Amino acid sequence: MTDDQLRTIFKALADARRLSIVRTLQRDGEVCACNLLDGLDISQPTLSHHMKVLCDSGLVRCRKDSRWCYYSVDAEVARKVSAAFGLLADAAAAGANAKGATTCSCGHEGSCGRAS
């Protein structure tokens, strides 16, 4: 996953309503837009805007059936985001193991509470 793709997804998820929508999709699977709207205190045009941002990020996909739109999390994109975090966690763990006792970049011991 490219840095641009990750930034787009993170930017989409930075909005509290969009994060809430994704959590609903995570919990409930594919959800009709009308059901998403019932759970939020927003207008239909505002929901459409949020769903466009989420779909444009690639994290959410839309399936149209007649006049209804059904949304779900794109499992492959979610796996790629998860893998990117896995690499980050692995690198952080390797860095911590290589340093042994942690010293902050400002020279203080531990996790910079600036208590030395």
Side-chain angles (χ1 to χ4, degrees):
M1 178 157 272
T2 69
D3 287 351
D4 284 343
Q5 290 169 317
L6 283 172
R7 273 193 302 273
T8 300
I9 290 169
F10 294 154
K11 186 175 180 182
L13 293 175
D15 181 90
R17 288 238 166 93
R18 290 193 287 267
L19 181 58
S20 175
I21 290 166
V22 169
R23 288 191 181 275
T24 298
L25 297 176
Q26 170 194 356
R27 182 187 67 234
D28 298 343
E30 187 177 70
V31 179
C32 178
C34 60
N35 292 332
L36 283 172
L37 196 56
D38 289 342
L40 301 168
D41 187 27
I42 58 175
S43 67
Q44 188 279 324
T46 301
L47 176 65
S48 291
H49 166 73
H50 287 308
M51 298 317 297
K52 179 178 180 355
V53 171
L54 287 167
C55 288
D56 287 350
S57 79
L59 185 59
V60 172
R61 61 182 169 193
C62 176
R63 179 180 65 84
K64 292 187 181 190
D65 183 14
S66 182
R67 57 184 264 217
W68 302 108
C69 292
Y70 294 87
Y71 295 98
S72 60
V73 172
D74 186 309
E76 184 59 28
V77 173
R79 277 189 209 91
K80 289 179 181 178
V81 172
S82 179
F85 272 103
L87 292 172
L88 178 64
D90 292 346
N97 290 337
K99 288 184 180 179
T102 58
T103 301
C104 168
S105 62
C106 68
H108 292 93
E109 291 287 323
S111 60
C112 197
R114 295 198 183 258
S116 237

